[in-house]
mmCIF file of all heavy atoms in Angstrom:
data_model
loop_
_atom_site.group_PDB
_atom_site.id
_atom_site.type_symbol
_atom_site.label_atom_id
_atom_site.label_comp_id
_atom_site.label_asym_id
_atom_site.label_seq_id
_atom_site.Cartn_x
_atom_site.Cartn_y
_atom_site.Cartn_z
ATOM 1 N N PRO W 1 0.787 -1.229 0.003
ATOM 2 C CA PRO W 1 0.007 0.012 0.011
ATOM 3 C C PRO W 1 0.803 1.279 0.000
ATOM 4 O O PRO W 1 0.392 2.274 -0.573
ATOM 5 C CB PRO W 1 -0.817 -0.124 1.267
ATOM 6 C CG PRO W 1 -0.888 -1.567 1.576
ATOM 7 C CD PRO W 1 0.390 -2.134 1.115
ATOM 8 N N MET W 2 1.986 1.271 0.619
ATOM 9 C CA MET W 2 2.736 2.530 0.769
ATOM 10 C C MET W 2 3.982 2.576 -0.082
ATOM 11 O O MET W 2 4.838 3.456 0.059
ATOM 12 C CB MET W 2 3.151 2.700 2.238
ATOM 13 C CG MET W 2 1.954 2.794 3.193
ATOM 14 S SD MET W 2 0.815 4.139 2.742
ATOM 15 C CE MET W 2 1.859 5.569 3.067
ATOM 16 N N ASP W 3 4.104 1.652 -1.046
ATOM 17 C CA ASP W 3 5.274 1.665 -1.928
ATOM 18 C C ASP W 3 5.047 2.564 -3.118
ATOM 19 O O ASP W 3 3.948 2.703 -3.633
ATOM 20 C CB ASP W 3 5.545 0.246 -2.438
ATOM 21 C CG ASP W 3 6.305 -0.617 -1.426
ATOM 22 O OD1 ASP W 3 6.664 -0.048 -0.374
ATOM 23 O OD2 ASP W 3 6.495 -1.803 -1.682
ATOM 24 N N HIS W 4 6.124 3.202 -3.553
ATOM 25 C CA HIS W 4 6.186 3.946 -4.817
ATOM 26 C C HIS W 4 5.125 5.051 -4.898
ATOM 27 O O HIS W 4 4.556 5.288 -5.950
ATOM 28 C CB HIS W 4 6.011 3.011 -6.018
ATOM 29 C CG HIS W 4 6.838 1.765 -5.947
ATOM 30 N ND1 HIS W 4 6.289 0.501 -5.779
ATOM 31 C CD2 HIS W 4 8.188 1.599 -5.918
ATOM 32 C CE1 HIS W 4 7.273 -0.375 -5.699
ATOM 33 N NE2 HIS W 4 8.430 0.270 -5.796
ATOM 34 N N LEU W 5 4.876 5.728 -3.798
ATOM 35 C CA LEU W 5 3.808 6.740 -3.788
ATOM 36 C C LEU W 5 4.321 8.020 -4.475
ATOM 37 O O LEU W 5 5.289 8.633 -4.059
ATOM 38 C CB LEU W 5 3.414 7.067 -2.363
ATOM 39 C CG LEU W 5 2.709 5.937 -1.582
ATOM 40 C CD1 LEU W 5 2.315 6.434 -0.193
ATOM 41 C CD2 LEU W 5 1.523 5.409 -2.321
ATOM 42 N N GLY W 6 3.644 8.373 -5.551
ATOM 43 C CA GLY W 6 3.890 9.607 -6.219
ATOM 44 C C GLY W 6 2.812 10.613 -5.875
ATOM 45 O O GLY W 6 2.206 10.567 -4.795
ATOM 46 N N GLY W 7 2.498 11.518 -6.807
ATOM 47 C CA GLY W 7 1.495 12.492 -6.587
ATOM 48 C C GLY W 7 0.490 12.522 -7.715
ATOM 49 O O GLY W 7 0.742 12.009 -8.822
ATOM 50 N N ARG W 8 -0.643 13.123 -7.500
ATOM 51 C CA ARG W 8 -1.685 13.281 -8.516
ATOM 52 C C ARG W 8 -1.429 14.609 -9.235
ATOM 53 O O ARG W 8 -1.250 15.634 -8.570
ATOM 54 C CB ARG W 8 -3.050 13.277 -7.855
ATOM 55 C CG ARG W 8 -4.235 13.452 -8.817
ATOM 56 C CD ARG W 8 -5.528 13.474 -8.029
ATOM 57 N NE ARG W 8 -5.768 12.152 -7.386
ATOM 58 C CZ ARG W 8 -6.652 11.958 -6.437
ATOM 59 N NH1 ARG W 8 -7.362 12.950 -5.960
ATOM 60 N NH2 ARG W 8 -6.797 10.756 -5.921
ATOM 61 N N ILE W 9 -1.418 14.603 -10.572
ATOM 62 C CA ILE W 9 -1.141 15.874 -11.269
ATOM 63 C C ILE W 9 -2.442 16.680 -11.488
ATOM 64 O O ILE W 9 -2.370 17.899 -11.689
ATOM 65 C CB ILE W 9 -0.409 15.650 -12.621
ATOM 66 C CG1 ILE W 9 -1.275 14.915 -13.602
ATOM 67 C CG2 ILE W 9 0.892 14.941 -12.383
ATOM 68 C CD1 ILE W 9 -0.619 14.865 -14.991
ATOM 69 N N GLY W 10 -3.571 16.033 -11.470
ATOM 70 C CA GLY W 10 -4.821 16.754 -11.574
ATOM 71 C C GLY W 10 -4.996 17.758 -10.436
ATOM 72 O O GLY W 10 -4.754 17.398 -9.275
ATOM 73 N N GLY W 11 -5.362 18.989 -10.746
ATOM 74 C CA GLY W 11 -5.517 20.014 -9.740
ATOM 75 C C GLY W 11 -4.272 20.806 -9.469
ATOM 76 O O GLY W 11 -4.322 21.862 -8.809
ATOM 77 N N ARG W 12 -3.119 20.367 -9.976
ATOM 78 C CA ARG W 12 -1.865 21.129 -9.712
ATOM 79 C C ARG W 12 -1.807 22.373 -10.617
ATOM 80 O O ARG W 12 -2.354 22.397 -11.702
ATOM 81 C CB ARG W 12 -0.665 20.255 -9.949
ATOM 82 C CG ARG W 12 -0.578 19.087 -8.980
ATOM 83 C CD ARG W 12 0.806 18.515 -8.867
ATOM 84 N NE ARG W 12 0.842 17.385 -7.980
ATOM 85 C CZ ARG W 12 1.937 16.904 -7.438
ATOM 86 N NH1 ARG W 12 3.106 17.475 -7.664
ATOM 87 N NH2 ARG W 12 1.921 15.838 -6.668
ATOM 88 N N ARG W 13 -1.121 23.368 -10.096
ATOM 89 C CA ARG W 13 -0.880 24.579 -10.904
ATOM 90 C C ARG W 13 0.340 24.408 -11.763
ATOM 91 O O ARG W 13 1.459 24.155 -11.242
ATOM 92 C CB ARG W 13 -0.677 25.800 -9.962
ATOM 93 C CG ARG W 13 -1.920 26.198 -9.176
ATOM 94 C CD ARG W 13 -1.697 27.553 -8.529
ATOM 95 N NE ARG W 13 -2.834 27.952 -7.724
ATOM 96 C CZ ARG W 13 -2.869 27.955 -6.400
ATOM 97 N NH1 ARG W 13 -1.793 27.524 -5.723
ATOM 98 N NH2 ARG W 13 -3.951 28.338 -5.760
ATOM 99 N N LEU W 14 0.177 24.585 -13.057
ATOM 100 C CA LEU W 14 1.275 24.496 -14.014
ATOM 101 C C LEU W 14 1.638 25.905 -14.501
ATOM 102 O O LEU W 14 0.778 26.613 -15.069
ATOM 103 C CB LEU W 14 0.901 23.641 -15.221
ATOM 104 C CG LEU W 14 1.908 23.638 -16.373
ATOM 105 C CD1 LEU W 14 3.215 22.992 -15.962
ATOM 106 C CD2 LEU W 14 1.315 22.898 -17.572
ATOM 107 N N GLY W 15 2.862 26.333 -14.234
ATOM 108 C CA GLY W 15 3.314 27.631 -14.722
ATOM 109 C C GLY W 15 4.159 27.443 -15.979
ATOM 110 O O GLY W 15 5.229 26.833 -15.935
ATOM 111 N N ILE W 16 3.682 27.976 -17.093
ATOM 112 C CA ILE W 16 4.354 27.828 -18.356
ATOM 113 C C ILE W 16 5.189 29.068 -18.663
ATOM 114 O O ILE W 16 4.616 30.177 -18.708
ATOM 115 C CB ILE W 16 3.331 27.570 -19.513
ATOM 116 C CG1 ILE W 16 2.566 26.277 -19.248
ATOM 117 C CG2 ILE W 16 4.045 27.537 -20.865
ATOM 118 C CD1 ILE W 16 1.416 26.039 -20.225
ATOM 119 N N LEU W 17 6.471 28.900 -18.828
ATOM 120 C CA LEU W 17 7.372 29.991 -19.112
ATOM 121 C C LEU W 17 7.620 30.050 -20.619
ATOM 122 O O LEU W 17 8.407 29.289 -21.165
ATOM 123 C CB LEU W 17 8.662 29.796 -18.341
ATOM 124 C CG LEU W 17 9.799 30.843 -18.521
ATOM 125 C CD1 LEU W 17 9.252 32.262 -18.391
ATOM 126 C CD2 LEU W 17 10.890 30.572 -17.532
ATOM 127 N N GLY W 18 6.858 30.916 -21.304
ATOM 128 C CA GLY W 18 6.902 30.974 -22.763
ATOM 129 C C GLY W 18 5.648 30.402 -23.382
ATOM 130 O O GLY W 18 5.514 29.156 -23.460
ATOM 131 N N MET W 19 4.713 31.278 -23.800
ATOM 132 C CA MET W 19 3.414 30.788 -24.282
ATOM 133 C C MET W 19 3.322 30.930 -25.790
ATOM 134 O O MET W 19 2.398 31.517 -26.344
ATOM 135 C CB MET W 19 2.290 31.593 -23.601
ATOM 136 C CG MET W 19 0.932 30.946 -23.648
ATOM 137 S SD MET W 19 0.925 29.365 -22.812
ATOM 138 C CE MET W 19 -0.753 29.337 -22.126
ATOM 139 N N GLY W 20 4.330 30.385 -26.482
ATOM 140 C CA GLY W 20 4.292 30.308 -27.937
ATOM 141 C C GLY W 20 3.581 29.010 -28.368
ATOM 142 O O GLY W 20 2.705 28.513 -27.666
ATOM 143 N N ARG W 21 3.954 28.512 -29.544
ATOM 144 C CA ARG W 21 3.323 27.300 -30.045
ATOM 145 C C ARG W 21 3.434 26.132 -29.082
ATOM 146 O O ARG W 21 2.467 25.432 -28.811
ATOM 147 C CB ARG W 21 3.946 26.912 -31.386
ATOM 148 C CG ARG W 21 3.656 27.872 -32.534
ATOM 149 C CD ARG W 21 4.265 27.287 -33.820
ATOM 150 N NE ARG W 21 4.074 28.185 -34.995
ATOM 151 C CZ ARG W 21 4.987 29.061 -35.374
ATOM 152 N NH1 ARG W 21 6.117 29.183 -34.704
ATOM 153 N NH2 ARG W 21 4.759 29.806 -36.437
ATOM 154 N N ILE W 22 4.633 25.924 -28.575
ATOM 155 C CA ILE W 22 4.863 24.822 -27.676
ATOM 156 C C ILE W 22 4.141 25.023 -26.328
ATOM 157 O O ILE W 22 3.475 24.115 -25.823
ATOM 158 C CB ILE W 22 6.358 24.540 -27.431
ATOM 159 C CG1 ILE W 22 7.051 24.188 -28.742
ATOM 160 C CG2 ILE W 22 6.573 23.446 -26.394
ATOM 161 C CD1 ILE W 22 8.552 24.075 -28.659
ATOM 162 N N GLY W 23 4.277 26.205 -25.784
ATOM 163 C CA GLY W 23 3.604 26.487 -24.520
ATOM 164 C C GLY W 23 2.102 26.296 -24.608
ATOM 165 O O GLY W 23 1.496 25.727 -23.678
ATOM 166 N N GLN W 24 1.474 26.711 -25.695
ATOM 167 C CA GLN W 24 0.037 26.538 -25.874
ATOM 168 C C GLN W 24 -0.299 25.058 -26.024
ATOM 169 O O GLN W 24 -1.337 24.591 -25.547
ATOM 170 C CB GLN W 24 -0.448 27.348 -27.056
ATOM 171 C CG GLN W 24 -0.357 28.848 -26.823
ATOM 172 C CD GLN W 24 -0.741 29.678 -28.028
ATOM 173 O OE1 GLN W 24 -1.595 29.279 -28.800
ATOM 174 N NE2 GLN W 24 -0.082 30.816 -28.226
ATOM 175 N N ALA W 25 0.544 24.343 -26.740
ATOM 176 C CA ALA W 25 0.305 22.889 -26.877
ATOM 177 C C ALA W 25 0.401 22.182 -25.556
ATOM 178 O O ALA W 25 -0.370 21.257 -25.263
ATOM 179 C CB ALA W 25 1.287 22.294 -27.900
ATOM 180 N N VAL W 26 1.352 22.603 -24.740
ATOM 181 C CA VAL W 26 1.483 22.053 -23.371
ATOM 182 C C VAL W 26 0.202 22.341 -22.580
ATOM 183 O O VAL W 26 -0.341 21.479 -21.876
ATOM 184 C CB VAL W 26 2.710 22.614 -22.649
ATOM 185 C CG1 VAL W 26 2.717 22.219 -21.200
ATOM 186 C CG2 VAL W 26 3.990 22.124 -23.322
ATOM 187 N N ALA W 27 -0.270 23.580 -22.674
ATOM 188 C CA ALA W 27 -1.457 24.000 -21.925
ATOM 189 C C ALA W 27 -2.679 23.161 -22.285
ATOM 190 O O ALA W 27 -3.452 22.761 -21.398
ATOM 191 C CB ALA W 27 -1.715 25.497 -22.155
ATOM 192 N N ARG W 28 -2.846 22.888 -23.584
ATOM 193 C CA ARG W 28 -3.992 22.075 -23.993
ATOM 194 C C ARG W 28 -3.952 20.677 -23.382
ATOM 195 O O ARG W 28 -4.956 20.147 -22.930
ATOM 196 C CB ARG W 28 -4.040 22.005 -25.528
ATOM 197 C CG ARG W 28 -4.502 23.292 -26.192
ATOM 198 C CD ARG W 28 -4.850 23.055 -27.652
ATOM 199 N NE ARG W 28 -3.746 22.557 -28.437
ATOM 200 C CZ ARG W 28 -2.837 23.324 -29.050
ATOM 201 N NH1 ARG W 28 -2.934 24.657 -28.975
ATOM 202 N NH2 ARG W 28 -1.852 22.822 -29.745
ATOM 203 N N ARG W 29 -2.791 20.095 -23.375
ATOM 204 C CA ARG W 29 -2.626 18.752 -22.800
ATOM 205 C C ARG W 29 -2.801 18.762 -21.301
ATOM 206 O O ARG W 29 -3.487 17.900 -20.738
ATOM 207 C CB ARG W 29 -1.240 18.204 -23.165
ATOM 208 C CG ARG W 29 -1.124 17.773 -24.632
ATOM 209 C CD ARG W 29 0.311 17.737 -25.115
ATOM 210 N NE ARG W 29 0.466 17.199 -26.428
ATOM 211 C CZ ARG W 29 0.138 17.879 -27.535
ATOM 212 N NH1 ARG W 29 -0.311 19.099 -27.466
ATOM 213 N NH2 ARG W 29 0.305 17.299 -28.716
ATOM 214 N N ALA W 30 -2.230 19.761 -20.671
ATOM 215 C CA ALA W 30 -2.317 19.834 -19.205
ATOM 216 C C ALA W 30 -3.746 20.063 -18.763
ATOM 217 O O ALA W 30 -4.169 19.504 -17.707
ATOM 218 C CB ALA W 30 -1.413 20.964 -18.695
ATOM 219 N N ARG W 31 -4.502 20.815 -19.503
ATOM 220 C CA ARG W 31 -5.915 21.012 -19.147
ATOM 221 C C ARG W 31 -6.673 19.676 -19.174
ATOM 222 O O ARG W 31 -7.537 19.424 -18.309
ATOM 223 C CB ARG W 31 -6.583 21.980 -20.148
ATOM 224 C CG ARG W 31 -6.401 23.432 -19.798
ATOM 225 C CD ARG W 31 -7.258 24.314 -20.690
ATOM 226 N NE ARG W 31 -8.664 24.049 -20.440
ATOM 227 C CZ ARG W 31 -9.599 23.976 -21.439
ATOM 228 N NH1 ARG W 31 -9.233 24.144 -22.679
ATOM 229 N NH2 ARG W 31 -10.855 23.758 -21.130
ATOM 230 N N ALA W 32 -6.328 18.847 -20.160
ATOM 231 C CA ALA W 32 -6.983 17.533 -20.257
ATOM 232 C C ALA W 32 -6.690 16.653 -19.036
ATOM 233 O O ALA W 32 -7.473 15.764 -18.687
ATOM 234 C CB ALA W 32 -6.571 16.812 -21.534
ATOM 235 N N PHE W 33 -5.547 16.925 -18.383
ATOM 236 C CA PHE W 33 -5.171 16.195 -17.176
ATOM 237 C C PHE W 33 -5.731 16.880 -15.935
ATOM 238 O O PHE W 33 -5.477 16.426 -14.816
ATOM 239 C CB PHE W 33 -3.659 16.098 -17.058
ATOM 240 C CG PHE W 33 -3.047 15.008 -17.860
ATOM 241 C CD1 PHE W 33 -2.763 15.160 -19.204
ATOM 242 C CD2 PHE W 33 -2.773 13.785 -17.283
ATOM 243 C CE1 PHE W 33 -2.183 14.137 -19.945
ATOM 244 C CE2 PHE W 33 -2.189 12.717 -18.005
ATOM 245 C CZ PHE W 33 -1.926 12.923 -19.369
ATOM 246 N N GLY W 34 -6.482 17.936 -16.083
ATOM 247 C CA GLY W 34 -7.115 18.617 -14.957
ATOM 248 C C GLY W 34 -6.213 19.607 -14.238
ATOM 249 O O GLY W 34 -6.493 19.970 -13.097
ATOM 250 N N MET W 35 -5.152 20.038 -14.897
ATOM 251 C CA MET W 35 -4.252 21.010 -14.283
ATOM 252 C C MET W 35 -4.762 22.410 -14.464
ATOM 253 O O MET W 35 -5.485 22.734 -15.406
ATOM 254 C CB MET W 35 -2.836 20.843 -14.863
ATOM 255 C CG MET W 35 -2.254 19.446 -14.657
ATOM 256 S SD MET W 35 -0.587 19.298 -15.305
ATOM 257 C CE MET W 35 0.307 20.152 -14.061
ATOM 258 N N GLN W 36 -4.349 23.322 -13.574
ATOM 259 C CA GLN W 36 -4.648 24.751 -13.687
ATOM 260 C C GLN W 36 -3.495 25.453 -14.438
ATOM 261 O O GLN W 36 -2.341 25.270 -14.077
ATOM 262 C CB GLN W 36 -4.820 25.343 -12.310
ATOM 263 C CG GLN W 36 -5.941 24.733 -11.485
ATOM 264 C CD GLN W 36 -5.990 25.260 -10.078
ATOM 265 O OE1 GLN W 36 -5.674 26.430 -9.834
ATOM 266 N NE2 GLN W 36 -6.371 24.400 -9.134
ATOM 267 N N ILE W 37 -3.857 26.221 -15.463
ATOM 268 C CA ILE W 37 -2.868 26.801 -16.361
ATOM 269 C C ILE W 37 -2.520 28.227 -15.991
ATOM 270 O O ILE W 37 -3.420 29.071 -15.907
ATOM 271 C CB ILE W 37 -3.334 26.716 -17.836
ATOM 272 C CG1 ILE W 37 -3.821 25.289 -18.191
ATOM 273 C CG2 ILE W 37 -2.243 27.174 -18.779
ATOM 274 C CD1 ILE W 37 -2.787 24.219 -17.972
ATOM 275 N N HIS W 38 -1.279 28.498 -15.805
ATOM 276 C CA HIS W 38 -0.749 29.856 -15.574
ATOM 277 C C HIS W 38 0.400 30.038 -16.559
ATOM 278 O O HIS W 38 1.052 29.071 -16.992
ATOM 279 C CB HIS W 38 -0.259 29.996 -14.157
ATOM 280 C CG HIS W 38 -1.316 29.796 -13.117
ATOM 281 N ND1 HIS W 38 -1.857 30.871 -12.409
ATOM 282 C CD2 HIS W 38 -1.975 28.689 -12.679
ATOM 283 C CE1 HIS W 38 -2.788 30.406 -11.589
ATOM 284 N NE2 HIS W 38 -2.864 29.084 -11.716
ATOM 285 N N TYR W 39 0.718 31.302 -16.872
ATOM 286 C CA TYR W 39 1.834 31.509 -17.805
ATOM 287 C C TYR W 39 2.438 32.909 -17.642
ATOM 288 O O TYR W 39 1.797 33.840 -17.193
ATOM 289 C CB TYR W 39 1.382 31.306 -19.250
ATOM 290 C CG TYR W 39 0.597 32.472 -19.864
ATOM 291 C CD1 TYR W 39 1.211 33.431 -20.674
ATOM 292 C CD2 TYR W 39 -0.782 32.626 -19.635
ATOM 293 C CE1 TYR W 39 0.510 34.485 -21.233
ATOM 294 C CE2 TYR W 39 -1.500 33.646 -20.208
ATOM 295 C CZ TYR W 39 -0.853 34.572 -21.010
ATOM 296 O OH TYR W 39 -1.546 35.619 -21.558
ATOM 297 N N HIS W 40 3.714 32.951 -17.996
ATOM 298 C CA HIS W 40 4.427 34.217 -18.137
ATOM 299 C C HIS W 40 5.015 34.270 -19.526
ATOM 300 O O HIS W 40 5.593 33.259 -20.018
ATOM 301 C CB HIS W 40 5.575 34.295 -17.067
ATOM 302 C CG HIS W 40 6.497 35.476 -17.285
ATOM 303 N ND1 HIS W 40 6.203 36.724 -16.853
ATOM 304 C CD2 HIS W 40 7.674 35.552 -17.904
ATOM 305 C CE1 HIS W 40 7.176 37.545 -17.138
ATOM 306 N NE2 HIS W 40 8.095 36.857 -17.818
ATOM 307 N N ASN W 41 4.893 35.380 -20.201
ATOM 308 C CA ASN W 41 5.346 35.491 -21.590
ATOM 309 C C ASN W 41 5.827 36.936 -21.810
ATOM 310 O O ASN W 41 5.456 37.861 -21.057
ATOM 311 C CB ASN W 41 4.181 35.182 -22.543
ATOM 312 C CG ASN W 41 4.665 34.781 -23.894
ATOM 313 O OD1 ASN W 41 5.556 33.938 -24.017
ATOM 314 N ND2 ASN W 41 4.098 35.346 -24.932
ATOM 315 N N ARG W 42 6.678 37.076 -22.782
ATOM 316 C CA ARG W 42 7.168 38.440 -23.124
ATOM 317 C C ARG W 42 6.004 39.373 -23.426
ATOM 318 O O ARG W 42 5.991 40.518 -23.073
ATOM 319 C CB ARG W 42 8.127 38.339 -24.309
ATOM 320 C CG ARG W 42 8.758 39.661 -24.680
ATOM 321 C CD ARG W 42 9.878 39.488 -25.672
ATOM 322 N NE ARG W 42 9.462 38.743 -26.859
ATOM 323 C CZ ARG W 42 10.224 38.524 -27.898
ATOM 324 N NH1 ARG W 42 11.486 38.929 -27.876
ATOM 325 N NH2 ARG W 42 9.812 37.814 -28.939
ATOM 326 N N ARG W 43 4.974 38.809 -24.136
ATOM 327 C CA ARG W 43 3.764 39.561 -24.399
ATOM 328 C C ARG W 43 2.553 38.689 -23.994
ATOM 329 O O ARG W 43 2.558 37.492 -24.237
ATOM 330 C CB ARG W 43 3.667 39.935 -25.889
ATOM 331 C CG ARG W 43 4.766 40.824 -26.397
ATOM 332 C CD ARG W 43 4.526 41.193 -27.831
ATOM 333 N NE ARG W 43 5.673 41.927 -28.411
ATOM 334 C CZ ARG W 43 6.727 41.358 -28.976
ATOM 335 N NH1 ARG W 43 6.778 40.031 -29.063
ATOM 336 N NH2 ARG W 43 7.719 42.098 -29.454
ATOM 337 N N ARG W 44 1.551 39.331 -23.508
ATOM 338 C CA ARG W 44 0.327 38.614 -23.143
ATOM 339 C C ARG W 44 -0.339 38.094 -24.431
ATOM 340 O O ARG W 44 -0.410 38.791 -25.426
ATOM 341 C CB ARG W 44 -0.624 39.536 -22.387
ATOM 342 C CG ARG W 44 -1.813 38.854 -21.787
ATOM 343 C CD ARG W 44 -2.550 39.742 -20.814
ATOM 344 N NE ARG W 44 -3.635 39.022 -20.191
ATOM 345 C CZ ARG W 44 -4.294 39.489 -19.125
ATOM 346 N NH1 ARG W 44 -3.954 40.686 -18.606
ATOM 347 N NH2 ARG W 44 -5.278 38.779 -18.575
ATOM 348 N N VAL W 45 -0.823 36.855 -24.408
ATOM 349 C CA VAL W 45 -1.461 36.295 -25.598
ATOM 350 C C VAL W 45 -2.846 36.868 -25.721
ATOM 351 O O VAL W 45 -3.412 37.484 -24.804
ATOM 352 C CB VAL W 45 -1.513 34.761 -25.551
ATOM 353 C CG1 VAL W 45 -0.114 34.178 -25.447
ATOM 354 C CG2 VAL W 45 -2.369 34.274 -24.375
ATOM 355 N N HIS W 46 -3.467 36.642 -26.909
ATOM 356 C CA HIS W 46 -4.781 37.178 -27.154
ATOM 357 C C HIS W 46 -5.822 36.628 -26.178
ATOM 358 O O HIS W 46 -5.718 35.468 -25.740
ATOM 359 C CB HIS W 46 -5.184 36.851 -28.596
ATOM 360 C CG HIS W 46 -6.344 37.642 -29.099
ATOM 361 N ND1 HIS W 46 -7.642 37.259 -28.911
ATOM 362 C CD2 HIS W 46 -6.395 38.801 -29.826
ATOM 363 C CE1 HIS W 46 -8.434 38.123 -29.463
ATOM 364 N NE2 HIS W 46 -7.727 39.103 -30.015
ATOM 365 N N ASP W 47 -6.829 37.452 -25.950
ATOM 366 C CA ASP W 47 -7.890 37.023 -25.017
ATOM 367 C C ASP W 47 -8.506 35.712 -25.397
ATOM 368 O O ASP W 47 -8.835 34.885 -24.536
ATOM 369 C CB ASP W 47 -9.000 38.089 -24.952
ATOM 370 C CG ASP W 47 -8.559 39.335 -24.157
ATOM 371 O OD1 ASP W 47 -7.515 39.243 -23.491
ATOM 372 O OD2 ASP W 47 -9.235 40.371 -24.244
#
């Protein structure tokens, strides 16, 4: 029961550094896993 205990990624806050093509692709996948998406970028992406 207590072996190899990791963590649940659903519900975790993911901070993406760089919201270009790759960052947005990461965000789409992470949302499907139930993660909360945050980001920092040189420019804010479109609404």
Side-chain angles (χ1 to χ4, degrees):
M2 299 304 293
D3 281 355
H4 315 112
L5 295 182
R8 180 181 295 165
I9 66 171
R12 296 201 183 198
R13 293 192 181 107
L14 172 65
I16 298 173
L17 179 48
M19 199 61 147
R21 292 184 182 94
I22 297 173
Q24 292 175 35
V26 170
R28 287 195 298 271
R29 287 158 172 76
R31 277 190 62 220
F33 278 84
M35 301 182 75
Q36 300 175 33
I37 309 303
H38 298 254
Y39 78 98
H40 172 82
N41 202 48
R42 184 169 54 176
R43 299 183 186 88
R44 189 167 185 169
V45 300
H46 195 274
D47 287 347

